[in-house]
Amino acid sequence: MLERSKMLMKTVNRIMRVLLLGIFVLLFQSVRAEEEVTQKLTLRTSSLLKVPVNFPTTSSYDSGISIPYPKEGVKGIYVQAFRAKGEELDRIVHYVDKTDINAVVVDVRDGYGKITMPLETNNQTIQNNTVNEITDTKQLLKTLEKHQIYPIARIVSFGDHLVPYQNPDLTFRTQLGTVWENDEGESFLNPFLKENWEYIAEIAVGAAKAGFKDIQLDYVRFPLGFELIEKYLDYDLGDYSHYTDMDEARIAAVTDFVEYVRTKLKPYDVHLSADILAHAITASKIGGIGQKFTDIAEHVDVISPMIFPSHWVNYALGVKDPDKDPYEIVKRYMVIEKGYIKTLNPSPISRPWIQAFTADFLGEGNYQLYTADIISKEIQALKEAGVTEYLLWNAASQYSSEINF
């Protein structure tokens, strides 16, 4: 009897251990399941609601170059591409650092049609016409970033001596079928053709991707005096063949081109500027070259009239000898320009080009040496007109440190 009782107790104990073990396993699995559910909910919530650290705050392209717009306004100098490297670049940087200049305008596409530095692009024509006067575009921009020098990419739009010979259908041709050149030996892309717009816009985008903060369109026009020789030339009117007034056709083509480039640059958070002949404003337009001040100004952030006194004929704007009286030329020009700009909403920044070279091509007795004092008079006239931005043009990129900026 005692043995049976012992055996029974052992059996009961064994059963109790099994039951307790089962209960423990069930409890453990229940806790794990709850933890897993909680963990899964936590992960799902995290993936839905938590913003990644590197999530972009805007849709703008980031070139990796950080150079803000100068608070005091852009005061820049023109720099030839081949000088924007090595010791020449060091000299320019030193000049900017010790003066009130804070920006440089560098040729990205020059008047010959050469792309002067490597750009990010798949366009074969751009690649073929890149000469790499600057071999490392990023290094140039990094240097300018280090010194906080505002970089402006000068892109000659329609002056070109390469593409016209590579594809004559894109230019103006003589009646013999050869590429037409003006008296200065310049040839041009045809502004009526959107294929040419796309080509220039792609170069502008490449410059923006590299880190340039301002894209400046130069030669944004037809050749000078084009209206006098157009009937002797063979060329395609593109979408502008329905115009009966060719002045208006040219103005429309140039204006539409500027608007097209602006649209292409929107994702890149850059300013768009355009150079314009100052003479265009005296009659509101120069139809022969397709420039109408107000039409172009409506589609850019910055308008840069080339006020160079040497480019005006005697008695222009009521000034007897313009090259010898730069203060008056600049002063009187700005009165006219301000009248047009105030009609625009929004109005662009006026950032004129001023003469920083001696115009000896005018011939003896018709010019003066453009010393620091003379150039300072141009700047004085701008300041008195309330203009805080300007660019100095010297084709050899040589500038005096004595200029009163």
Side-chain angles (χ1 to χ4, degrees), residues 79-80 82-94 396-398:
V79 175
Q80 296 162 294
F82 73 89
R83 297 186 187 277
K85 61 183 179 182
E87 293 182 1
E88 283 286 295
L89 179 58
D90 292 341
R91 177 183 64 82
I92 290 164
V93 167
H94 178 68
S397 305
Q398 304 294 323

Side-chain angles (χ1 to χ4, degrees), residues 26 38 162 212 272 276 319 379:
L26 288 172
T38 302
L162 297 178
F212 283 94
L272 176 63
I276 188 169
V319 180
I379 296 173

Side-chain angles (χ1 to χ4, degrees), residues 52-353:
V53 174
N54 296 322
F55 191 83
T57 56
T58 69
S59 59
S60 297
Y61 181 90
D62 182 8
S63 66
I65 300 296
S66 178
I67 308 174
Y69 199 94
K71 293 180 180 179
E72 64 276 20
V74 168
K75 298 174 177 61
I77 55 174
Y78 164 71
V79 175
Q80 296 162 294
F82 73 89
R83 297 186 187 277
K85 61 183 179 182
E87 293 182 1
E88 283 286 295
L89 179 58
D90 292 341
R91 177 183 64 82
I92 290 164
V93 167
H94 178 68
Y95 178 82
V96 173
D97 285 346
K98 71 176 184 178
T99 66
D100 286 337
I101 290 296
N102 55 29
V104 291
V105 180
V106 181
D107 280 330
V108 171
R109 182 178 188 270
D110 66 16
Y112 197 82
K114 298 179 296 184
I115 291 87
T116 65
M117 61 191 73
L119 301 175
E120 181 184 331
T121 180
N122 293 321
N123 186 293
Q124 192 62 52
T125 304
I126 294 175
Q127 293 174 359
N128 291 343
N129 292 336
T130 299
V131 298
N132 287 352
E133 291 181 359
I134 296 170
T135 56
D136 192 334
T137 310
K138 274 295 182 184
Q139 184 56 51
L140 167 62
L141 273 301
K142 284 291 185 183
T143 299
L144 298 180
E145 180 184 43
K146 180 180 178 180
H147 294 266
Q148 288 297 283
I149 300 173
Y150 189 72
I152 302 172
R154 177 179 180 252
I155 297 177
V156 171
S157 299
F158 297 117
D160 194 319
H161 207 74
L162 297 178
V163 175
Y165 290 91
Q166 296 163 355
N167 187 350
D169 289 340
L170 300 178
T171 187
F172 307 109
R173 298 171 299 278
T174 68
Q175 293 177 348
L176 296 176
T178 59
V179 173
W180 171 79
E181 295 181 1
N182 65 12
D183 292 340
E184 285 71 44
E186 298 172 321
S187 52
F188 288 76
L189 297 178
N190 180 355
F192 285 125
L193 301 182
K194 290 184 178 178
E195 186 174 345
N196 289 332
W197 299 5
E198 293 166 359
Y199 177 61
I200 300 303
E202 181 67 17
I203 297 169
V205 167
K209 286 182 177 180
F212 283 94
K213 302 304 178 185
D214 191 307
I215 305 301
Q216 181 190 87
L217 302 177
D218 198 3
Y219 279 67
V220 55
R221 59 176 175 80
F222 285 75
L224 290 172
F226 186 76
E227 71 279 13
L228 302 176
I229 49 89
E230 62 177 339
K231 63 183 178 181
Y232 303 109
L233 300 178
D234 178 27
Y235 60 94
D236 191 345
L237 285 168
D239 293 337
Y240 300 87
S241 59
H242 62 284
Y243 277 83
T244 55
D245 184 329
M246 291 312 298
D247 277 2
E248 294 301 324
R250 286 187 286 271
I251 290 169
V254 168
T255 304
D256 291 346
F257 162 71
V258 174
E259 184 179 12
Y260 177 83
V261 174
R262 184 180 189 126
T263 300
K264 291 295 182 180
L265 288 173
K266 277 185 177 180
Y268 301 98
D269 193 27
V270 294
H271 283 84
L272 176 63
S273 58
D275 297 341
I276 188 169
L277 291 180
H279 307 65
I281 205 168
T282 58
S284 79
K285 70 176 183 180
I286 299 182
I289 63 172
Q291 288 188 344
K292 184 176 181 180
F293 183 90
T294 51
D295 286 13
I296 293 176
E298 284 180 339
H299 299 293
V300 294
D301 303 295
V302 178
I303 193 79
S304 291
M306 295 175 281
I307 313 181
F308 310 145
S310 62
H311 286 35
W312 299 86
V313 297
N314 290 345
Y315 294 100
L317 304 182
V319 180
K320 179 182 178 181
D321 201 340
D323 191 70
K324 295 181 180 179
D325 200 352
Y327 172 84
E328 280 299 324
I329 280 290
V330 173
K331 175 184 175 181
R332 297 184 188 195
Y333 169 83
M334 289 310 308
V335 170
I336 301 172
E337 183 186 277
K338 289 176 73 173
Y340 282 107
I341 284 186
K342 70 181 182 181
T343 67
L344 302 173
N345 185 25
S347 59
I349 295 170
S350 179
R351 187 195 295 160
W353 279 104

